Amino acid sequence: MADLNYNILKAKGVGTRWAQLLSEELDVHTYEDMLQQYPYKYVDRSHIYAVREITSDMAYVQLHGSFISMNVVGEGSHRRLSAVFTDGSGAIEIVWFKGLDYVRNSVKLSQEYYLFGKPSVFGNRLNIVHPELEKGDATISNAGTLQAMYNTSERMKKAGLNSKSVQKIILNILSELQSSPIPETLPQYLIDRCHLMSRDEALRTMHMPKNMQTVETARYRLKFEELFYIQLKMLRTYNQKREQQAGYQFSTSGAFLSDFYKNHLPFEPTNAQKRVVREIYNDMHSGKQMNRLLQGDVGSGKTMVALMAMLIAKGNGYQSCMMAPTEILATQHYESLSKMLDGMPVRVELLTGSTKQKERRVIHADLLSGDVDILVGTHALVEDTVQFARLGLAVVDEQHRFGVAQRAKLWSKGAIPPHILVMTATPIPRTLAMTVYGDLDVSVIDELPPGRKSVVTEHRFHNARNSLNRFIRQQLEKGRQVYEVFPLIEESERSDFKNLTNGYEYVKSAFPDYKVCMVHGRLKPEEKDAAMKQFVDNEAQIMVATTVIEVGVNVPNASVMVIESAERFGLSQLHQLRGRVGRGADQSYCILMTDYKLSTDTRRRMEIMVETTNGFEIAEADLRMRGPGSIEGTQQSGLPFNLRVANLASDGQIVQYTRDIASEILKNDPQLASAEDAIMLQRLNYLEKSVLNWSLIS
Ligand code: ADP
Ligand code: MG
């Protein structure tokens, strides 16, 4: 009896070449993988048109009739096969540009065919190019049904593995499995309770639907299953961490926090900051390890929250560390923490790649003796030589820049792991956060400090260059600084690099009386830092840069962000870039420069940027427009299991529903130990094994 785990090579019609293509192009190795290649659409073939009814504006038509002539015509690149097809009501030209010999040898005149294709106009005559053909007596006939259409790649098509061939393979597998229903993956009580289709019926329906209603029911079942297992996995990990991972218990918020609060506050914390500090304290007070994600838009004041958390650690006799993705950022953190702590007996040190050997040794020793309270640094901080006496809290800023391995290293620095606070300025919509970061607790700073002026954003075309320059000059004359960002998505793209350097030369010549610096990914770290420093110190007034400046740099005096070729950036990235300005008291501006010709999508992106500065609104829009892969930070941390039919952007309700159900199941049976729940444990094991690049925030 056939089995879902059978190698795809066993399937009828699949030889070694196709098997290899399926594996390389679609990641299909087994029968089950193949059955999970869901159609991207269905074409209604229940209607047969008469030739005389055809008009050029019809999407697809199906005809029934036969060929009355077939000839090779034209020369060179115009060489084609031209045939005449008729059903008695009229005749239409059918054209092939490729595979002429194959068609001529296999298609017979006077044999009846179902012909399926898209009418087009050439000259002023209707024709159909490269139609699908099926003999009247074909074994797999799509005529009269909803025909499933499958995604294939160019390579596959070249090897004859087109949508129709994929369909054939799938139908062969389904008929091989006819006598043994496809095993269920959800417990029966869930199927009953949530009114789900069985897995067997759902899979068969997806590939051989009777009508679109049943497709919807089948699709819902499969989406449910995908999202349910992701939630189950996330919640189990979350529960395991919470219940099994002991953490340091900070019994009090401590004298240092209250001293800071009473005597050293640089400004009144926003309500959101206060709330988040309470959430953090509750975690650290609980006796379990904290694993919290702090989300807050750029400029929302995450640094002070981190500081207060670190002061709680200090008040309980523990050290803290704070990691930043770049040296510049680490240095800025170090400086702002030192400033806020001025006059308090708390020792902060900075450790980066450029810390001198001598200082480094001192810091290492003082960390080990417990003399250093807070260590700020780059990833150099997780080097093995760095040992803490009592590391109680690790703060990770802009977490998506860190690899999982680096976080894990941090984690293993003590026998009892420190509390972990990861901070990100990338707003993640709720349903996505629930899924991608489902094993973390999430805090949100949803309020900006008072008095912030939102960044005025405008969209301009390239021909507005002169007025842009006049505007920039006005700002420079007021003593402000300016960013000008060029796309260099792939740092290796030569043409992009040329645009950047041309842009740099242009800006220099347009503003000869100001100093311009340039920062990009091809510079050595020291060179990059040196150029950044020029700008930070206002020695340079204009910075021409690529997106390397995206993360965290704080230059409050910069008030203009010009984004060149803005059409090439995604929404999240545009928003991050814009966040570099608007950090001081002055009105700031973001100018999106684009080409005239824009796709509807791009135009929409520009409109959204102009309409709102709310990071969450932008993230939601981005998620809707481009799908979850677009949200920065989600690629790296990834989903535990692949989604094939569910969509995090449009299936938010199912995400929430399956999360509620998974959480209820785990509440009643945390180990999934009961007989009826065992099926879920099996499925989880299976899914875990079949995902190789599974990674999760630690
Ligand atoms: P981010 O969340 O982007 O890391 P920062 O912590 O760098 O934001 O804060 C941005 C700016 O806002 C800093 O200059 C900081 O001093 C200031 N700031 C933070 N919290 C407040 C507050 N409650 N009131 C006024 N200014 C604040
Ligand atoms: Mg920050």
Side-chain angles (χ1 to χ4, degrees):
M1 217 176 3
D3 185 307
L4 281 180
N5 290 318
Y6 269 15
N7 190 306
I8 190 65
L9 256 173
K10 286 207 161 121
K12 204 171 132 204
V14 180
T16 46
R17 197 151 81 99
W18 279 11
Q20 192 179 352
L21 274 173
L22 286 169
S23 138
E24 287 170 10
E25 300 288 299
L26 301 179
D27 202 18
V28 164
H29 312 281
T30 64
Y31 277 21
E32 176 157 10
D33 296 339
M34 195 72 202
L35 293 183
Q36 289 179 348
Q37 297 300 310
Y38 302 121
Y40 68 92
K41 71 169 181 188
Y42 299 90
V43 176
D44 186 355
R45 298 193 52 179
S46 54
H47 188 76
I48 294 174
Y49 288 85
V51 170
R52 86 177 124 69
E53 290 178 288
I54 302 175
T55 58
S56 61
D57 55 358
M58 290 176 165
Y60 282 93
V61 295
Q62 174 169 237
L63 307 170
H64 186 220
S66 55
F67 291 96
I68 49 176
S69 72
M70 187 170 280
N71 297 297
V72 175
V73 296
E75 291 294 325
S77 62
H78 295 288
R79 200 174 118 89
R80 62 195 190 274
L81 188 61
S82 164
V84 175
F85 186 86
T86 178
D87 63 355
S89 78
I92 185 167
E93 187 194 14
I94 311 295
V95 182
W96 286 269
F97 295 100
K98 283 189 235 158
L100 310 196
D101 292 337
Y102 173 78
V103 177
R104 252 198 315 186
N105 293 333
S106 56
V107 173
K108 297 191 184 66
L109 299 185
S110 78
Q111 153 91 45
E112 289 204 345
Y113 288 97
Y114 289 104
L115 184 150
F116 180 71
K118 188 172 167 22
S120 52
V121 183
F122 186 75
N124 50 17
R125 286 194 1 225
L126 277 172
N127 66 16
I128 295 178
V129 179
H130 289 188
E132 263 185 43
L133 288 179
E134 231 169 55
K135 286 185 196 160
D137 55 355
T139 42
I140 294 177
S141 173
N142 285 304
T145 63
L146 283 173
Q147 178 178 356
M149 306 293 277
Y150 296 88
N151 278 316
T152 56
S153 67
E154 277 310 308
R155 275 183 77 206
M156 291 170 65
K157 284 195 193 92
K158 277 209 186 99
L161 196 46
N162 55 18
S163 169
K164 184 86 187 285
S165 319
V166 169
Q167 183 194 26
K168 268 190 195 159
I169 298 169
I170 289 175
L171 296 188
N172 285 338
I173 290 176
L174 285 174
S175 86
E176 225 187 306
L177 293 169
Q178 197 62 264
S179 55
S180 50
I182 297 163
E184 191 44 70
T185 46
L186 291 169
Q188 191 57 42
Y189 69 87
L190 258 191
I191 293 184
D192 295 341
R193 181 180 145 192
C194 305
H195 311 289
L196 301 172
M197 209 182 234
S198 76
R199 186 149 186 267
D200 182 77
E201 193 184 346
L203 286 171
R204 288 179 196 280
T205 302
M206 288 301 279
H207 300 294
M208 301 185 291
K210 290 192 194 66
N211 55 51
M212 282 314 285
Q213 281 80 9
T214 56
V215 172
E216 284 317 313
T217 318
R219 197 179 272 146
Y220 181 79
R221 141 81 211 208
L222 295 167
K223 284 181 178 180
F224 182 99
E225 172 179 340
E226 283 183 356
L227 294 171
F228 173 77
Y229 275 106
I230 286 182
Q231 296 305 337
L232 196 65
K233 167 78 191 167
M234 284 297 184
L235 286 167
R236 267 169 64 88
T237 314
Y238 173 91
N239 288 346
Q240 274 158 9
K241 277 191 184 167
R242 290 230 100 179
E243 272 140 39
Q244 292 159 19
Q245 194 56 66
Y248 297 117
Q249 183 161 24
F250 294 174
S251 53
T252 157
S253 60
F256 287 84
L257 182 65
S258 74
D259 178 26
F260 178 72
Y261 222 93
K262 281 196 199 102
N263 308 315
H264 300 273
L265 268 189
F267 28 68
E268 179 65 16
T270 61
N271 286 329
Q273 284 170 319
K274 288 184 198 163
R275 186 192 69 236
V276 169
V277 172
R278 265 198 309 276
E279 286 167 356
I280 291 170
Y281 175 62
N282 286 342
D283 280 0
M284 298 195 298
H285 184 68
S286 72
K288 307 287 182 207
Q289 186 204 14
M290 170 170 78
N291 269 288
R292 191 167 279 278
L293 175 73
L294 173 56
Q295 285 189 49
D297 214 341
V298 282
S300 61
K302 294 185 291 294
T303 318
M304 192 167 76
V305 169
L307 173 62
M308 292 200 262
M310 294 192 286
L311 288 175
I312 296 174
K314 167 75 180 159
N316 286 272
Y318 286 88
Q319 297 163 296
S320 306
C321 67
M322 184 164 175
M323 279 208 292
T326 65
E327 193 154 336
I328 289 269
L329 268 183
T331 310
Q332 286 194 341
H333 279 322
Y334 170 73
E335 282 163 2
S336 56
L337 293 179
S338 304
K339 206 164 118 201
M340 286 194 270
L341 288 170
D342 192 32
M344 283 185 69
V346 178
R347 180 166 162 204
V348 191
E349 290 291 347
L350 175 68
L351 191 65
T352 69
S354 51
T355 307
K356 300 256 157 27
Q357 200 54 41
K358 219 171 99 194
E359 292 169 54
R360 185 178 293 270
R361 266 200 296 272
V362 175
I363 293 174
H364 283 173
D366 292 353
L367 280 168
L368 205 51
S369 67
D371 279 354
V372 173
D373 300 308
I374 296 174
L375 180 67
V376 181
T378 53
H379 58 272
L381 196 150
V382 293
E383 276 166 20
D384 294 329
T385 44
V386 179
Q387 299 285 335
F388 292 82
R390 306 181 80 193
L391 180 63
L393 168 66
V395 181
V396 183
D397 195 22
E398 303 297 350
Q399 62 81 26
H400 58 268
R401 301 282 156 145
F402 281 99
V404 174
Q406 282 168 323
R407 287 190 296 258
K409 262 187 167 177
L410 195 67
W411 218 81
S412 61
K413 285 213 175 291
I416 292 185
H419 297 298
I420 307 262
L421 180 67
V422 293
M423 308 201 294
T424 175
T426 310
I428 300 158
R430 235 174 73 79
T431 49
L432 189 59
M434 206 181 268
T435 308
V436 181
Y437 299 123
D439 62 330
L440 296 178
D441 292 296
V442 178
S443 287
V444 181
I445 306 185
D446 49 6
E447 182 187 0
L448 291 180
R452 280 293 159 77
K453 294 196 183 71
S454 70
V455 180
V456 172
T457 305
E458 296 195 12
H459 175 203
R460 290 279 182 273
F461 298 110
H462 286 317
N463 60 0
R465 188 68 53 189
N466 288 340
S467 67
L468 173 69
N469 284 350
R470 273 197 302 277
F471 174 72
I472 290 179
R473 181 163 288 282
Q474 279 172 13
Q475 291 289 311
L476 289 170
E477 280 167 2
K478 283 189 188 165
R480 304 285 105 79
Q481 287 165 278
V482 175
Y483 292 102
E484 184 144 357
V485 175
F486 285 80
L488 227 169
I489 315 288
E490 283 292 325
E491 293 278 345
S492 59
E493 279 290 329
R494 208 178 287 165
S495 58
D496 278 353
F497 192 69
K498 193 143 170 281
N499 286 345
L500 173 77
T501 46
N502 286 348
Y504 175 57
E505 293 306 327
Y506 172 78
V507 173
K508 275 206 300 196
S509 66
F511 301 98
D513 39 345
Y514 290 94
K515 174 109 175 91
V516 186
C517 64
M518 175 162 70
V519 177
H520 56 81
R522 286 189 188 182
L523 296 177
K524 296 203 190 79
E526 311 88 78
E527 295 171 331
K528 197 159 90 189
D529 281 351
M532 289 263 202
K533 195 166 178 310
Q534 279 191 328
F535 192 69
V536 171
D537 298 344
N538 199 0
E539 278 161 28
Q541 290 74 43
I542 306 178
M543 175 148 101
V544 171
T546 62
T547 52
V548 295
I549 61 153
E550 203 185 307
V551 166
V553 194
N554 191 24
V555 182
N557 190 46
S559 63
V560 182
M561 166 66 64
V562 180
I563 305 177
E564 299 287 348
S565 303
E567 64 267 37
R568 295 187 49 201
F569 294 95
L571 269 177
S572 309
Q573 221 176 4
L574 290 172
H575 179 66
Q576 287 289 317
L577 286 169
R578 178 167 59 186
R580 299 303 106 221
V581 295
R583 309 191 136 229
D586 303 294
Q587 179 61 56
S588 290
Y589 305 86
C590 173
I591 294 136
L592 309 167
M593 300 296 286
T594 72
D595 219 5
Y596 245 138
K597 270 206 207 144
L598 295 178
S599 68
T600 324
D601 253 22
T602 312
R603 205 169 280 278
R604 185 72 201 118
R605 282 211 303 279
M606 300 305 133
E607 281 167 12
I608 291 167
M609 286 295 295
V610 171
E611 278 162 18
T612 180
T613 50
N614 180 315
F616 280 90
E617 278 175 25
I618 288 173
E620 294 278 359
D622 205 14
L623 184 62
R624 272 197 309 275
M625 290 177 69
R626 291 202 303 158
S630 64
I631 308 292
E632 223 182 319
T634 58
Q635 292 101 326
Q636 198 174 21
S637 45
L639 292 173
F641 312 130
N642 292 330
L643 294 178
R644 297 171 197 276
V645 47
N647 177 321
L648 290 176
S650 48
D651 296 323
Q653 270 186 321
I654 313 180
V655 172
Q656 181 70 61
Y657 184 47
T658 51
R659 184 167 181 91
D660 293 345
I661 290 174
S663 128
E664 190 188 312
I665 289 176
L666 288 175
K667 213 163 96 201
N668 297 329
D669 185 6
Q671 302 308 324
L672 300 175
S674 76
E676 52 181 6
D677 287 345
I679 187 173
M680 292 185 283
L681 208 52
Q682 270 169 25
R683 186 65 184 169
L684 276 178
N685 286 335
Y686 171 83
L687 290 170
E688 277 160 24
K689 259 190 271 156
S690 53
V691 175
L692 295 174
N693 59 352
W694 160 231
S695 58
L696 188 65
I697 301 190
S698 46

